[in-house]
Every structure is written in C-alpha cells, then in structure tokens.
Amino acid sequence: MADRLTPEQRSAHMARIRRANTKPELVVRRLLHSLGYRFRVQFGEVPGRPDIAFPARRRCVQIHGCFWHAHGCSLSRTPSTRTEFWKAKFARNRERDDRLERDASALGWETLTIWECETRDIADLTRRLTDFLGSPRLS
C-alpha cells in the first residue's frame, strides 16, 4: 500500500513527534509522583539523558515508544514504504539504546525500560516500578 501523505504532510507529521514529555512518559511520571517518588527529568549526568532519574538511588527509567524502538508488540510495525530505511533505523535505535544502557551501567546506574504498551496496565506498571525502586522514602 502506498503512502497516502504528500512529502510535505509527512514532514509536518514527523515534526510533531516529540523526544520528551510523550504521553507514555507523562503516565509514568504521574504514577511515580502519586506513589511518593521524587525524580529528575531528562537528567543530563547519565548517558542518554534518561526520561526519569533518581540520582540518590542511581537508578533511571527509560520509556520507549513501541514503534520507534521496534518492540515487536501490536503497537510496533514496520511501515510498508521504504522498509529497508525503517529496518536500518530501528536497528540503529536498538543499538543506541543498548550502548547507552551499558554506558550508564559502567557509571553505576541501573536502568529499567518501560515500553509504551506497558503503560496501559497501571497495576503491573506500579509493581514493576516499586520492585525496581524500593520504598519511595530513602532511609
């Protein structure tokens, strides 16, 4: 199936896609805040500027979009046009994600990756976050 958008329309659409403050990220941040956690956003002292960081705990949370990071779930698909471009792009994104997580680990940071599709089950998301972070109050 051919792309139904003109190049100008496609460009305008892609320009609206944000790097930060995405809907999945806001869901996780609101949940963490309601649970009593306090955190830094886009923390520049960790490789890759993680979406959410807990400097005192040396832990960070990355929230990945299923499409852009090729998760493999129902939200993730390869576009039917320019498939070779998209496959290469998704591979580069995954390689970068792996490299940045290794770099953060080398500096003593633990990383939890939350996928966009996982933000729909709040109970499971709450359990994963509290298991990873521990008590909201540091002793």
Side-chain angles (χ1 to χ4, degrees):
M1 175 182 241
D3 196 353
R4 294 186 177 130
L5 300 176
T6 66
E8 295 78 20
Q9 290 170 322
R10 171 70 58 210
S11 179
H13 174 74
M14 297 302 277
R16 287 191 304 269
I17 296 171
R18 296 180 277 178
R19 178 195 187 282
N21 299 320
T22 62
K23 287 180 185 179
E25 185 179 331
L26 294 176
V27 166
V28 174
R29 285 173 23 194
R30 284 184 192 116
L31 175 60
L32 286 167
H33 198 269
S34 73
L35 293 170
Y37 293 99
R38 299 303 176 255
F39 47 84
R40 302 282 305 271
V41 176
Q42 300 290 319
F43 192 56
E45 295 178 27
V46 180
R49 285 185 13 206
D51 297 314
I52 302 168
F54 301 84
R57 300 167 193 263
R58 299 197 64 79
R59 293 182 186 233
C60 57
V61 177
Q62 289 283 23
I63 298 116
H64 288 333
C66 295
F67 173 78
W68 292 106
H69 298 267
H71 182 223
C73 69
S74 64
L75 299 178
S76 165
R77 64 175 180 73
T78 302
S80 58
T81 58
R82 302 181 63 211
T83 56
E84 292 308 311
F85 164 81
W86 285 107
K87 287 178 183 177
K89 170 128 184 89
F90 296 150
R92 286 191 312 271
N93 287 352
R94 286 190 305 270
E95 289 169 8
R96 182 191 64 232
D97 294 340
D98 292 343
R99 176 179 44 83
L100 291 173
E101 188 169 339
R102 281 192 312 271
D103 292 350
S105 179
L107 294 174
W109 286 79
E110 288 184 58
T111 303
L112 173 66
T113 299
I114 302 289
W115 291 95
E116 175 183 8
C117 61
E118 295 173 333
T119 63
R120 295 174 176 189
D121 183 348
I122 298 300
D124 186 55
L125 181 59
T126 300
R127 181 195 54 76
R128 286 190 65 207
L129 289 167
T130 54
D131 287 352
F132 178 68
L133 296 169
S135 171
R137 304 284 178 227
L138 281 174
S139 35

